[in-house]
Amino acid sequence: MTGTDATIPTEPAPGDATLRRPELRPLWDTLHSRLSSGRPVTRVRPGPLDDLQREALADLLGLDRLPDAHPCVPLARLEEAVTELSGRTVREVVTELVGPLGDRAGERRRRQDERTRLWTWLAEHETVRAQPVLSDWAASCRASGVVAGSAEHTRTLLTDALRVLAELPGRAEPLPVFAARVLGGQAHALDDGTPLSALVLRALATLYDTVPPQSAAQRRALWTRAGVADDELSATVLVGGLRPAGDGVLARVATACAEAGQAASLTLGHVRHPGEFILSGARARVVHVVENPSVLALALRRFGSCCPPLVCTSGWPNSAAIQLLRMLADHGADLRYHGDFDGEGIRIAAYVLDKTPARPWRMTAADYRAAVARHPRGPQPGRITEAPWDRELAEAMAEHGTAVVEELVADVLLKDLGDPWACGQGRLICRCLTCR
């Protein structure tokens, strides 16, 4: 056997036999636990020790009498004894005899840092910032803590939930079809009872300011409200004065109603399968959007067959409304949105502005104050959340404590609708406060 093939036995370190005495095991176990805490250690207290363990500890430390059953052992004295016996440190000996030392304090700090980064990321996520009411949902997620003790797993779950929320309202797809499309083929990720489904439904309940659903029927209703498992007939959107060119069904229906001075009720089917659809001319390319059907009715009464393009969301916009607004924007329309000055109206406005390229129309704090000056005795505004387009608006509403519904400012809105095309050069001019 050559020198390279031979296995040369390792000589045990001097004093190894003493350190490996079974009676000293409680000492090393206690030391391992304390040193793994990540905190400073100056003494340890193993025990209770029996007589043989007390005798072994006395031999190790060179004591002239047996220690107590719960002795207090200074780490400095133990270091001296261990170094004298083996030439190694206490940490080296404990690592060899028991196992690698941990750092529980460091691990706690690491986990806390991970959680802090997680909740900061959630609070600052673009979907939450675009719809400030979702900050309440983010806070409830934080209060619930990380899932399965893992910040990484929780971030993955929240990322999927935010991806779903960004895709809502849906396209009238069944829930498994929607889930598969949005979540990379995971058709059952939003099935009833899954953690992801529960997260998204909590967010939707916060968004719509309703109680979290408790029954399967309530959960289905909430998904339907968000445009999932909807159908192409029940979701409709009201429009007036919309005269797109083209021979498609949507263009024909909308134009026929506009020429008659009537509102058109377009279904999701019309919007999803519009056929040929063209917006032409400056007037057709500015589309105002209102929250309440009564404002659309007033506009049609005022302008009749000359009504400028107007879309009504009828409160919270369904999938038909959002899909129509997106389609109009894709065809070059400039969308302007107005809604109620109350808590829910601000949340609806934030939702519309987040889901479509619409811009606010007379929805600033200055517009609100002007409306309150005219109508100071309105109802309470309800729960007020931030308006991402104007940070002063929520403060102004909280200060006055008065809601101003859209119908009360309809005269101002109708003046805007009749005013934008005043330029004789055919150039579009909008005179609302937001655009001035």
Side-chain angles (χ1 to χ4, degrees), residues 157-181:
L157 196 60
L158 287 169
T159 298
D160 285 344
L162 291 164
R163 185 177 296 123
V164 169
L165 292 171
E167 285 291 322
L168 294 174
R171 306 175 184 174
E173 301 159 301
L175 187 59
V177 176
F178 171 80
R181 177 173 63 82

Side-chain angles (χ1 to χ4, degrees), residues 206-219:
T206 301
L207 183 66
Y208 297 136
D209 200 19
T210 63
V211 296
Q214 301 298 317
S215 66
Q218 290 173 336
R219 291 188 285 272

Side-chain angles (χ1 to χ4, degrees), residues 116 173 225 281 350 425:
T116 299
E173 301 159 301
R225 186 173 183 180
Q425 316 292 319

